[in-house]
Amino acid sequence: MRYSAVIPILMMLALAVSRAAAQAAPLHPDTPPAWLYPGAPAPDVPPDTVTPHHLPHSTQALTLPQVSNPFAPADWQPKSHPALPVSVAYGRTPDVIACGYCHLPNGIGRPENAALAGLPEGYIIAQVQSMRKNVRQNARPDWRPTVNMHKVALAARIEEVATAAQYFSSLPYHRAVTVVESAEVPKVREAGFVHVPIRGAGAGKELIGERILETPASYERFELR
């Protein structure tokens, strides 16, 4: 398993098909599997909003509210990439979330957001235009990550999209995913639009069936973006 060169986000993908799942009743072809769209239920314990957090190879100390500010998201290693354009670093309140919040300053993104690093500039612009025209839609139109992206696409100015596309296309892509093929996987829960292995009561393993599960190796570091 390997960390991203900029912000360590280590994922595990588990892929296998069990005999039991193969015999299960098929879904309606227009119904996306529920495991594709994990939710973000409220945490059982309120998050700590005052303790500063640190990451290796970074001199910064940021609280969770600072990390999760959609209009000034965390940039743990600002010297590891070119200067962020305003659209990536801050966005524009109240409608245009900073591109770096979801796709990260290194462009690698998270499971619920696309990796943009290294994509052609024109391709990124074309995808935003498709969202503005409602040509590009999602199989789950109520899923919050894609709802937010469509809102940004509608509100963003042409120059904001252009500068963000130019920035992300200039970045190298760093693989942040390790694929593990297995018939059994840890039991998971939904948290922050990803699957997280259950700890304590309820922990254990189960058949993966026909799912593809993507989960951070460290959810705590993952939530530090």
Side-chain angles (χ1 to χ4, degrees), residues 154-208:
L154 289 172
R157 297 168 181 157
I158 295 175
E159 60 271 20
E160 291 171 328
V161 177
T163 55
Q166 183 178 35
Y167 171 78
F168 286 120
S169 67
S170 71
L171 300 177
Y173 175 78
H174 298 283
R175 183 172 67 90
V177 173
T178 296
V179 178
V180 179
E181 296 188 24
S182 176
E184 288 190 331
V185 292
K187 292 182 178 180
V188 294
R189 62 182 176 86
E190 296 181 345
F193 305 110
V194 294
H195 299 285
V196 180
I198 297 174
R199 299 175 181 173
K205 289 192 172 183
E206 62 185 2
L207 293 174
I208 190 171

Side-chain angles (χ1 to χ4, degrees), residues 95-137:
D95 300 317
V96 182
I97 296 172
C99 301
Y101 177 70
C102 297
H103 302 286
L104 306 183
N106 65 356
I108 301 303
R110 291 156 54 98
E112 74 274 24
N113 311 115
L116 300 182
L119 288 177
E121 180 180 343
Y123 174 81
I124 297 173
I125 293 173
Q127 295 309 305
V128 176
Q129 290 175 340
S130 294
M131 293 177 194
R132 292 171 67 95
K133 297 175 183 177
N134 256 349
V135 175
R136 175 171 173 170
Q137 299 184 14

Side-chain angles (χ1 to χ4, degrees), residues 53 55 64 189 196 199 216-225:
H53 294 270
L55 283 179
L64 284 180
R189 62 182 176 86
V196 180
R199 299 175 181 173
S218 169
Y219 180 65
E220 290 74 17
R221 288 187 64 174
F222 177 76
E223 284 301 278
L224 293 178
R225 312 190 85 79

Side-chain angles (χ1 to χ4, degrees), residues 29-56:
D30 293 333
T31 304
W35 54 263
L36 275 175
Y37 300 96
D44 297 331
V45 179
D48 181 348
T49 60
V50 296
T51 302
H53 294 270
H54 304 267
L55 283 179

